[in-house]
Amino acid sequence: MKRTTKISEDLQKVPKVPKFTMKASDTIFNDPIHGHMELHPLLVKIIDTPQFQRLRRLKQLGGNYMVYPGASHNRFEHSLGVSYLAGCLVKTLDDNQPELNITKQDFLCVQIAGLCHDLGHGPFSHVFDGLVIPKAKKIKVAKGLPDDIPEKWKHEQMSVLLFDDIVKSLKTENKDVLKEHGLDDKDVIFIKELIEGAKTSEWTYKGRDEDKSFLYEIVANKQNGIDVDKWDYFARDCHHLGIRNSFDHKRLLKFARVCKVNGRNHICFRDKEADNVYDMFRKRYISMTGYQQKMGYIIDIMLAEALVRADRDLHEGKPEDMLMISEAIKTAEDYSKLTDEICEQILSSTADNLREARDILNKIVRRKLPKFVGEARLTQKKFSKVVDLDHGMKDKNPIDYVYFYSKRNPPKLLH
């Protein structure tokens, strides 16, 4: 009897070896939100730099810590969580669609971008770029002082500068640090593009070709706002605020798929996940109304006012006993010194030029806050004209920019 060997059948029985697996050199972080997170050695090198460790001294929710006792978490742990989720999403896409040709370099770059996306936040997070810098710019113009603050300055710009500074410092210790992990200067460009997100319809990006456009939607999604940054801070903020989180990012992650829409690769979601996506945007809306609780908003305004009063760049002659605040955005070195601890520096100072700022901060500490004097009830007609709480895309409805796929039909918009 002739015996034959079924090589092809035997090979089909061999399980596929995952491309992105944990290595012995990876470091495990135990996170209260995501559990045990494995992070690549290069990520750990970045984490162990002073520029990144600075994030331990920046409250995630700014002045809301003064209102919600549990909101003590920092940008540090959020950034680790975003990096981890970025890796999870890339791995899911690669496992389900190997034809996407996602490389190990792509995987690592997206994780680094997630890790470094918030490097540029200032004291009390959005208080700095949302209130302090615009007010400082306005005062400079009014006083006729030299105005070198960029128009619409955002923390993402500083994130890129600080990331450059980290790369420079790592290369000073080991000039081949990127090469040893399979990365080059083009990958550095790619990471910085990921931090800022792809904003234009025309492909002008240098880090990757247009067939990898979906990678630009993972950390900072400028198309519809669905990104791992939000997935982490929804879960993390709700955990620390004691608010129930109805949005299930783990489920949405499982149903993510890359589809070609209008000639470009986009991350799409299964049509049956539409309610989950709606929940995500609804959670952002509810969270924003919670974050903007009147006492929290009052404290944010007072913190911003204190920092503006303490800013020597807004005064003739720039008194030396005042603090360099708005002018610190010029360099990564100066900006690295700006953290929430600036308030402790003001409170412990005896400088006469810091008295006004000190008085404001003392009022916050002693809860001597402006009183709520009244409210107005709005009719439905007035409500639609007056109240403007958006979903992160100003006057646009982000759900109109989310593509869903089904088992039988090509991806489409749900209207």
Side-chain angles (χ1 to χ4, degrees), residues 2 9 11 13 37 52 54 89 110 120 122 133 162 166 271 278 283 286 291 309 319 329 362 369 383 386 411-412:
K2 189 175 180 180
E9 291 182 12
L11 286 174
K13 295 177 183 178
M37 306 183 301
F52 191 87
R54 166 183 173 272
L89 181 50
V110 174
I133 294 300
L162 283 168
I166 287 175
D271 51 1
Y278 274 106
K283 175 55 65 178
I286 293 170
Y291 299 162
R309 298 281 183 95
I329 67 174
N362 271 316
L369 309 176
F383 184 84
V386 177
K412 62 180 181 179

Side-chain angles (χ1 to χ4, degrees), residues 98-267:
E99 68 274 12
L100 294 173
N101 297 316
I102 300 173
T103 66
K104 291 183 178 180
Q105 288 76 22
D106 295 336
F107 180 69
L108 183 54
C109 286
V110 174
Q111 283 188 302
I112 292 173
L115 189 70
C116 297
H117 78 290
D118 271 352
L119 283 173
H121 268 297
F124 302 98
S125 293
H126 290 289
V127 168
F128 191 78
D129 56 350
L131 295 174
V132 176
I133 294 300
K135 190 163 187 176
K137 186 174 181 66
K138 188 176 180 180
I139 291 173
K140 283 188 171 190
V141 172
K143 289 187 174 184
L145 297 169
D147 178 20
D148 47 10
I149 297 176
E151 194 69 34
K152 296 182 179 179
W153 184 89
K154 296 294 182 184
H155 72 270
E156 289 89 350
Q157 297 167 247
M158 185 53 68
S159 293
V160 168
L161 287 178
L162 283 168
F163 175 67
D164 272 335
D165 203 44
I166 287 175
V167 171
K168 182 180 177 182
S169 63
L170 291 178
K171 282 186 173 181
T172 299
E173 295 179 6
N174 176 8
K175 63 182 178 63
D176 295 323
V177 63
L178 296 180
K179 185 177 179 181
E180 288 175 358
H181 296 288
L183 303 184
D184 56 25
D185 291 339
K186 185 178 180 180
D187 293 312
V188 172
I189 294 172
F190 178 44
I191 293 166
K192 292 190 287 187
E193 291 174 342
L194 290 174
I195 290 173
E196 296 197 278
K199 303 171 186 176
T200 61
S201 56
E202 182 183 354
W203 196 255
T204 58
Y205 301 96
K206 309 294 184 185
R208 291 295 185 271
D209 294 333
E210 194 171 359
D211 64 322
K212 295 286 182 73
S213 58
F214 63 93
L215 294 175
Y216 288 77
E217 299 175 0
I218 292 174
V219 175
N221 190 341
K222 303 300 183 182
Q223 308 302 314
N224 54 45
I226 300 179
D227 52 45
V228 295
D229 177 29
K230 289 184 181 63
W231 294 2
D232 182 84
Y233 77 64
F234 285 161
R236 197 171 300 278
D237 292 355
C238 286
H239 173 79
H240 288 280
L241 292 171
I243 299 173
R244 180 177 174 272
N245 181 20
S246 58
F247 168 64
D248 187 353
H249 71 269
K250 293 180 181 178
R251 179 176 173 84
L252 192 61
L253 187 151
K254 295 295 182 184
F255 289 99
R257 185 175 181 84
V258 173
C259 305
K260 191 170 287 293
V261 183
N262 298 327
R264 182 173 292 176
N265 286 329
H266 290 285
I267 296 177

Side-chain angles (χ1 to χ4, degrees), residues 66-79:
M66 307 288 187
V67 180
Y68 300 96
S72 58
H73 54 306
N74 304 313
R75 290 280 162 187
F76 179 88
E77 50 264 39
H78 164 63
S79 298

